[in-house]
Amino acid sequence: MGRYLHGRKAVSTHPAVRTLLIVLPLMAFSFARADPDEKRAPTTHELDAVVYRPLDIAGSGHPLVEQFRKKYRTPFGEKSLATTLANGERYRLYIREQLTKRNMPAVLEYLPVVESEYRTAARSRSGALGLWQFMENSMAPFLKKSEFIDERLDPWKSTDAALSKLQDNYSQFQDWALAITAYNCGAGALARTLARSPEKNFWYLAEHKLLRTETMQYVPKLLAIADLATNSVYYGLSLPDIQPEVAAELSKITNSFDYVTVHGSYSLRWLAAELRIDEDTVLELNAALVRGITPPDAVYAIRLPAGLKASAHDALATAPFRAFTRRYVVKRGDTLYAIAQAAQTTVQALCTANGISEKTPLTVGKVLYLPEK
């Protein structure tokens, strides 16, 4: 979240936002951010403290895991992994907290490294989206999608959804390596593979090539990353980490929010301007709102930095409410100007209503909501 609270607009002087501005640099300092290219000898204290910490999912010593461990121990691999872990620090804190609450393996903190490299808007060639790379056909019943919402883009909601899905997989297979495998290939596909296998464990399936290559490498890659991140000093690596004694307190600050519930369509950019906070902050906290506005026909809870609920309520009481009753489906040759003229509105109002800019290309079949006359 490099842009968090540091966008093009003026930053709020609200106490809640000032707290974040103070704490986030401290959080960055708390993570070991040494450049992997700048090697240093470990201190005496570090040498005394170097004890290998086993993972809570077995298999880190398997040759398939060692292949990936070697890859990430190269200078390029170490630097790449360090960057990914540092960029994902905010979400790692939240995931770590949720794993503890659900009594799930700590190794799962590193699954988004494999899935998306902790990029919240990552999109695969096959259409998987977000931190946890949900496909549209795997969202239900965990996440919602509509013309205005795609909860795969919300790192907090998608984390809750992914952990619930993994718990469901574990309930079915009673083994965490298999539960993680099912997250990659699907529970149905894995169940069919296990039915043909004389042994019902991941390592047998992998060693006998009963899984497709991507799935066969999925668990080993996760375990290699988790092992190196958990035991970075043991392996002589410079990887970002945060100590348990400060993680919980930082998570309270960086992952604590206020919510305001609205019914109908309200602009996030308008709300940010009214609250005098960077609009990127509000957009990032509500990344599921793909048009930058709340759905016109539903109740929605807007996520805000902690401490802004009362101010947001006051602002929304005077907000320009938009009740869209008209829709237009884009046809070949349409332009925003022509559509706005036909709808007796302005291009700016049309763009605001749909969370787009005047330079947004129109695609045939795209649905535009038309402001009231």
Side-chain angles (χ1 to χ4, degrees):
M1 295 279 291
R3 296 184 303 157
Y4 190 71
L5 294 175
H6 297 280
R8 296 180 298 276
K9 305 270 180 158
V11 176
S12 170
T13 56
H14 190 282
V17 180
R18 286 203 305 271
T19 299
L20 279 172
L21 287 172
I22 295 169
V23 169
L24 287 178
L26 292 175
M27 183 173 74
F29 179 78
S30 298
F31 280 83
R33 293 204 180 213
D35 187 335
D37 293 334
E38 297 179 6
K39 298 293 183 182
R40 65 171 178 81
T43 65
T44 303
H45 174 73
E46 288 173 333
L47 287 172
D48 291 341
V50 174
V51 176
Y52 181 82
R53 291 181 286 171
L55 303 182
D56 47 11
I57 294 178
S60 61
H62 195 280
L64 289 173
V65 177
E66 180 58 22
Q67 290 178 15
F68 286 101
R69 199 157 36 220
K70 285 181 179 178
K71 172 187 173 183
Y72 285 110
R73 293 183 72 183
T74 64
F76 176 81
E78 179 183 359
K79 192 167 188 176
S80 174
L81 182 57
T83 299
T84 298
L85 292 173
N87 289 343
E89 61 191 25
R90 178 179 197 173
Y91 309 118
R92 290 174 60 198
L93 285 168
Y94 180 74
I95 293 168
R96 188 181 297 187
E97 180 182 275
Q98 295 306 307
L99 291 173
T100 300
K101 287 182 179 179
R102 294 173 183 240
N103 195 28
M104 297 173 72
V107 163
L108 295 173
E109 175 184 331
Y110 304 98
L111 194 54
V113 180
V114 181
E115 287 288 346
S116 65
E117 295 182 337
Y118 271 107
R119 290 178 293 124
T120 59
R123 183 186 293 272
S124 73
R125 289 190 298 272
S126 60
L129 184 64
L131 195 71
W132 293 90
Q133 291 290 281
F134 275 89
M135 296 286 290
E136 277 197 45
N137 61 7
S138 65
M139 292 174 66
F142 308 105
L143 297 169
K144 298 176 183 176
K145 184 178 185 298
S146 71
E147 296 173 57
F148 289 85
I149 301 171
D150 192 336
E151 291 184 338
R152 294 178 295 174
L153 292 167
D154 186 310
W156 296 277
K157 288 182 179 179
S158 65
T159 290
D160 294 342
L163 298 188
S164 294
K165 191 177 183 74
L166 284 161
Q167 285 181 311
D168 286 353
N169 290 349
Y170 181 77
S171 296
Q172 180 175 348
F173 297 106
Q174 294 297 301
D175 177 274
W176 276 112
L178 291 177
I180 296 165
T181 303
Y183 189 87
N184 177 260
C185 69
L190 180 59
R192 291 189 292 273
T193 300
L194 288 170
R196 300 192 300 268
S197 173
E199 294 192 27
K200 314 300 180 185
N201 69 80
F202 168 79
W203 300 107
Y204 182 89
L205 300 180
E207 289 165 2
H208 290 80
K209 297 185 174 15
L210 298 178
L211 301 166
R212 58 193 175 97
T213 302
E214 178 191 320
T215 303
M216 180 181 70
Q217 295 176 344
Y218 192 67
V219 170
K221 186 175 182 180
L222 168 64
L223 294 182
I225 292 167
D227 187 31
L228 293 174
T230 303
N231 295 291
S232 58
V233 177
Y234 177 87
Y235 287 110
L237 303 178
S238 295
L239 297 177
D241 196 10
I242 188 166
Q243 298 305 311
E245 55 268 22
V246 294
E249 197 59 36
L250 286 176
S251 186
K252 284 179 186 177
I253 297 170
T254 60
N255 291 301
S256 295
F257 310 107
D258 276 344
Y259 294 86
V260 287
T261 301
V262 298
H263 187 283
S265 189
Y266 294 89
S267 167
L268 295 180
R269 290 179 175 85
W270 177 90
L271 181 58
E274 289 296 303
L275 295 176
R276 299 176 186 266
I277 60 175
D278 177 14
E279 71 176 34
D280 284 347
T281 299
V282 181
L283 292 171
E284 287 173 4
L285 291 180
N286 297 277
L289 294 174
V290 293
R291 296 178 183 240
I293 55 177
T294 53
D297 54 355
V299 174
Y300 194 86
I302 301 173
R303 183 186 290 123
L304 295 167
L308 293 178
K309 187 171 185 176
S311 298
H313 272 302
D314 291 343
L316 289 166
T318 61
F321 172 72
R322 299 179 177 87
F324 302 123
T325 58
R326 301 183 297 157
R327 297 171 16 137
Y328 180 80
V329 180
V330 175
K331 300 178 179 64
R332 186 179 300 278
D334 276 339
T335 65
L336 286 172
Y337 178 77
I339 296 170
Q341 268 202 325
Q344 298 181 23
T345 186
T346 65
V347 171
Q348 182 179 6
L350 184 62
C351 289
T352 300
N354 291 276
I356 59 176
S357 74
E358 295 183 20
K359 296 181 179 179
T360 300
L362 295 179
T363 55
V364 174
K366 181 181 179 67
V367 175
L368 296 177
Y369 281 78
L370 306 177
E372 296 304 302
K373 297 179 184 179

